[in-house]
């Protein structure tokens, strides 16, 4: 058993199970501070399993965890066009078009790896808000995983097929909402953002989002271009990447279809989030 002094170190706290008695003081302090915030009064029955996500996301700094918790609830309240309807049916057509998937295996650091295929998004059928909802649905599902709370996520955005119709969907307001989730409004650590096949047309959109990102996130954005097979494998093991990205793991279609099935199986939980909010 670790001593109390040893467990003060974040790395060791992060490795402890949710029910460890060493974590109880942090949970108690966060709950007490949350009780003093008007925006959180209606959510005071939140479980320890929910609160610990925010502590892990902020290295068990209670004040920073509280700020993140407040931002999360404020974001959900102020962005109902995205957060109020997390039912899989609202984005099923996009998912069935193999737009998005989550790799079965984690990377070497234990991060979840998400893939988005922009070319599979038809802007005539789905708005950017609906596309963003897909990302929020996945985030709400994977944040339940203790390993993901500890090790965060990395995302690969395949921008092949990006065109003017996509660009016209992204405005400054949406760019700010996207950056908020990436930085200070959701209890997940973003360990890396990897862009492949990015065209010149995408640069103005990224230039709109970039100012809202903190330096830490900016440093984790990697642009691989169309010659990405070698450079992408410098960040991810060959064994987990799909063959389409130079790896030996399951193919993209299989990855996307499996994740679509998982989202569909999670409909009851997503319904609860949409109607009553987090447990």
């Amino acid at each position: 058993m670790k001593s109390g002094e040893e467990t003060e170190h974040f790395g060791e706290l992060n490795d402890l199970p949710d029910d460890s008695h060493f974590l109880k003081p942090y949970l108690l302090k966060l709950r007490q501070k949350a009780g003093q915030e008007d925006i959180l009064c209606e959510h005071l029955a939140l479980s320890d399993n929910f609160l610990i996500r925010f502590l892990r996301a902020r290295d068990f700094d209670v004040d920073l965890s509280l700020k993140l918790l407040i931002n999360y609830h404020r974001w959900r309240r102020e962005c109902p066009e995205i957060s109020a309807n997390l039912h899989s049916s609202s984005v099923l057509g996009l998912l069935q078009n193999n737009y998005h998937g989550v790799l079965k295996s984690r990377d070497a650091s234990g991060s979840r790896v998400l893939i988005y295929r922009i070319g599979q998004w038809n802007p005539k059928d789905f708005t950017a808000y609906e596309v963003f909802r897909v990302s929020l649905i996945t985030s709400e599902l994977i944040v339940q995983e203790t390993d993901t709370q500890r090790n965060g996520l990395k995302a690969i955005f395949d921008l092949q097929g990006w065109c003017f119709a996509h660009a016209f969907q992204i405005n400054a307001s949406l760019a700010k909402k996207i950056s908020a989730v990436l930085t200070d409004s959701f209890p997940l650590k973003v360990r890396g953002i990897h862009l492949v096949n990015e065209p010149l047309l995408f640069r103005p959109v990224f230039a709109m989002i970039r100012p809202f990102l903190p330096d830490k996130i900016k440093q984790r954005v990697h642009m691989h271009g169309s010659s990405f097979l070698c450079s992408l494998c410098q960040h991810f093991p060959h064994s987990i990447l799909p063959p389409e990205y130079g790896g030996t793991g399951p193919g993209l279609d299989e990855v996307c279809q499996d994740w679509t099935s998982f989202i569909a199986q999670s409909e009851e939980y997503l319904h609860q989030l949409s109607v009553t909010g987090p447990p």
Side-chain angles (χ1 to χ4, degrees):
M1 178 62 68
K2 297 180 178 70
S3 70
E5 182 177 352
E6 289 174 323
T7 55
E8 288 296 323
H9 188 274
F10 153 66
E12 294 178 350
L13 285 172
N14 202 27
D15 291 338
L16 294 175
D18 290 2
D19 59 357
S20 169
H21 70 276
F22 286 113
L23 304 185
K24 296 299 182 183
Y26 297 89
L27 287 163
L28 178 61
K29 188 176 295 185
L30 178 57
R31 192 182 298 279
Q32 289 173 339
K33 286 181 175 288
Q36 300 169 13
E37 301 292 334
D38 291 340
I39 193 174
L40 299 177
C41 285
E42 60 186 282
H43 302 287
L44 291 184
L46 294 176
S47 66
D48 285 357
N49 287 338
F50 179 75
L51 291 178
I52 203 168
R53 303 172 187 178
F54 296 85
L55 288 166
R56 285 200 170 106
R58 290 297 178 264
D59 298 348
F60 288 86
D61 183 310
V62 174
D63 289 332
L64 291 180
S65 301
L66 176 66
K67 180 180 178 182
L68 180 62
L69 180 63
I70 292 171
N71 288 347
Y72 172 84
H73 285 289
R74 179 178 291 125
W75 190 92
R76 285 183 56 91
R77 187 179 65 184
E78 295 178 353
C79 302
E81 67 274 21
I82 300 173
S83 63
N85 179 11
L86 297 181
H87 295 93
S88 60
S89 58
S90 68
V91 291
L92 191 58
L94 187 58
L95 291 169
Q96 289 177 336
N97 204 33
N98 292 342
Y99 162 73
H100 170 58
V102 177
L103 298 188
K104 295 181 179 180
S105 300
R106 298 174 183 273
D107 77 348
S109 63
S111 296
R112 271 290 204 177
V113 182
L114 286 53
I115 294 180
Y116 298 89
R117 306 166 72 192
I118 301 302
Q120 305 303 110
W121 162 31
N122 186 343
K124 295 180 180 179
D125 297 329
F126 293 93
T127 68
Y129 285 95
E130 291 170 312
V131 170
F132 190 20
R133 188 181 300 140
V134 171
S135 180
L136 186 59
I137 286 173
T138 286
S139 296
E140 289 285 10
L141 293 177
I142 65 174
V143 76
Q144 299 178 84
E145 304 165 347
T146 299
D147 282 345
T148 305
Q149 294 170 20
R150 290 170 174 158
N151 303 310
L153 67 87
K154 295 175 183 174
I156 299 172
F157 289 89
D158 188 339
L159 293 159
Q160 185 173 16
W162 177 272
C163 62
F164 281 116
H166 294 110
F168 288 149
Q169 292 265 3
I170 312 295
N171 54 40
S173 175
L174 181 60
K176 188 173 183 180
K177 291 172 181 176
I178 292 173
S179 63
V181 172
L182 287 173
T183 58
D184 63 0
S185 297
F186 200 90
L188 276 177
K189 298 177 180 178
V190 179
R191 298 299 196 187
I193 298 174
H194 297 262
L195 309 179
V196 301
N197 291 318
E198 66 275 17
L200 290 175
L201 280 174
F202 179 73
R203 292 184 181 180
V205 172
F206 184 69
M208 197 182 335
I209 297 174
R210 196 174 191 278
F212 298 114
L213 301 177
D215 290 341
K216 180 170 64 175
I217 297 295
K218 290 176 185 175
Q219 294 169 4
R220 294 175 182 175
V221 176
H222 306 271
M223 294 190 174
H224 298 269
S226 58
S227 302
F228 57 82
L229 292 181
C230 290
S231 60
L232 200 60
C233 286
Q234 293 174 8
H235 296 270
F236 300 96
H238 288 76
S239 59
I240 73 169
L241 286 174
E244 294 90 338
Y245 297 139
T248 58
L252 275 176
D253 286 350
E254 179 183 342
V255 168
C256 293
Q257 290 163 14
D258 285 351
W259 190 250
T260 296
S261 296
F262 180 74
I263 288 178
Q265 293 166 12
S266 305
E267 180 61 26
E268 183 176 345
Y269 179 73
L270 295 172
H271 175 73
Q272 177 186 344
L273 283 176
S274 301
V275 175
T276 63

